[in-house]
Amino acid sequence: MNDLVEKSQTYKKIEKAINYIDENFKDQPTLEEISEHINMSKYHFSRVFKEYVGVTPIQFLQTLTLNYAKEHLKESKSILDSSLDLGLSSTSRLHDLFVNIIGVTPKEYKESGLDVEITYGYGSTPFGEALIAFTKRGICYLGFIDNNEEAVFSRFMDVWEKATLKKDDKKAHEYLNDIFLKNKKYDLVVKGTNFQINVWRALMNIPDGLISSYQDIADKLEKPKAVRAVASAIGSNHIGFLIPCHRVIAKSGAMSGYRWGIQRKKILLAYEDFNKKK
């Protein structure tokens, strides 16, 4: 069993535990109660959880509170201010994920990817199964799967409905391995309006382990009343994880929707928060 498959299987167990924590966090469940729910010993569960997420189950429970999220919003707002002040037209980031966002040509946009050759496939990641797609210019789709493979593929087709497709799971595995285990950088090929692309660029200026609000993004785009449009653009992101829409939450501190699952969003944020402290 390769590392990505093993991590993907572990993710499913951790997700079950997080669902339980999320549903019962107001009652502050004990380690024993959580581990019993997923039929694991508390010692094994605690070790596996920390190895995977980076924090203990009880520490993770604390990250679900609104106060925690609000404090992170305060911290990240100043960093977002400084990074976005460099200019949204820049394709560089202040942090360790140096990639370019490449917009499709107006012709490719209008014709929904006609004559664009795309290779796609399925594989495992540390955060579950995924569909990844790429062109010669870079990655053009990354979506996580939770018993909804058909729906994820349908969304992929909505974005690139007229492209020429070639399925290659072996190549997809290589890409996912490069991204999640080797931290290799790839250019990202996106299909969106100018406004959407500016929002996605703004997301990439939010450092690992920090979060921002929809309002903060709208403010930095100098469109303070466009919060709904910002939220819509974030919801239209078709390259999960690499364009980190999981780092945006409601101004209240509440964990708002995430196309690839609210539990996955919480795992990603907790994982990044822990790793930035190393």
Side-chain angles (χ1 to χ4, degrees), residues 71-122:
E71 287 303 311
H72 273 56
L73 278 174
K74 291 177 183 177
E75 179 185 3
S76 60
K77 188 175 188 305
S78 62
I79 297 177
L80 184 66
D81 285 345
S82 61
S83 62
L84 292 186
D85 283 344
L86 292 176
L88 288 172
S89 61
S90 172
T91 57
S92 65
R93 289 183 56 187
L94 294 181
H95 304 280
D96 63 350
L97 183 60
F98 290 96
V99 300
N100 288 328
I101 288 187
I102 303 170
V104 299
T105 66
K107 181 176 183 292
E108 289 171 335
Y109 183 92
K110 182 179 180 180
E111 296 180 350
S112 299
L114 183 66
D115 297 329
V116 176
E117 295 183 359
I118 296 177
T119 301
Y120 77 97
Y122 298 88

Side-chain angles (χ1 to χ4, degrees), residues 109-276:
Y109 183 92
K110 182 179 180 180
E111 296 180 350
S112 299
L114 183 66
D115 297 329
V116 176
E117 295 183 359
I118 296 177
T119 301
Y120 77 97
Y122 298 88
S124 299
T125 82
F127 307 103
E129 298 298 303
L131 164 63
I132 188 169
F134 37 90
T135 73
K136 292 180 179 179
R137 290 186 290 172
I139 294 171
C140 63
Y141 191 88
L142 177 57
F144 293 102
I145 298 170
D146 293 300
N147 300 316
N148 61 343
E149 182 177 317
E150 186 175 332
V152 173
F153 182 79
S154 178
R155 183 165 185 250
F156 165 51
M157 289 303 301
D158 286 343
V159 179
W160 301 105
E161 60 180 326
K162 295 181 181 179
T164 301
L165 301 181
K166 175 185 176 183
K167 186 178 180 184
D168 188 335
D169 287 336
K170 182 179 179 181
K171 193 68 177 176
H173 170 77
E174 292 175 4
Y175 268 77
L176 292 172
N177 188 72
D178 285 344
I179 293 167
F180 290 99
L181 297 184
K182 298 181 179 179
N183 198 32
K184 186 174 179 179
K185 318 305 178 188
Y186 286 100
D187 289 339
L188 308 181
V189 180
V190 298
K191 179 173 173 280
T193 64
N194 288 338
F195 179 79
Q196 288 174 323
I197 293 173
N198 277 340
V199 170
W200 299 336
R201 281 180 173 151
L203 298 183
M204 298 189 69
N205 282 278
I206 304 173
D208 292 358
L210 293 182
I211 52 180
S212 187
S213 72
Y214 299 99
Q215 184 65 64
D216 289 339
I217 300 293
D219 289 345
K220 296 314 297 182
L221 290 170
E222 298 185 349
K223 296 182 181 292
K225 296 183 179 180
V227 176
R228 287 188 179 181
V230 166
S232 177
I234 291 172
S236 298
N237 171 30
H238 50 274
I239 303 180
F241 182 76
L242 297 177
I243 297 179
C245 51
H246 59 275
R247 295 180 191 153
V248 183
I249 67 174
K251 192 174 182 179
S252 66
M255 295 286 182
S256 47
Y258 182 55
R259 181 175 293 276
W260 294 287
I262 198 70
Q263 306 307 340
R264 181 174 282 106
K265 179 173 185 171
K266 292 173 181 177
I267 291 175
L268 286 167
L269 291 175
Y271 179 84
E272 291 180 347
D273 180 59
F274 174 79
N275 279 281
K276 79 169 183 178

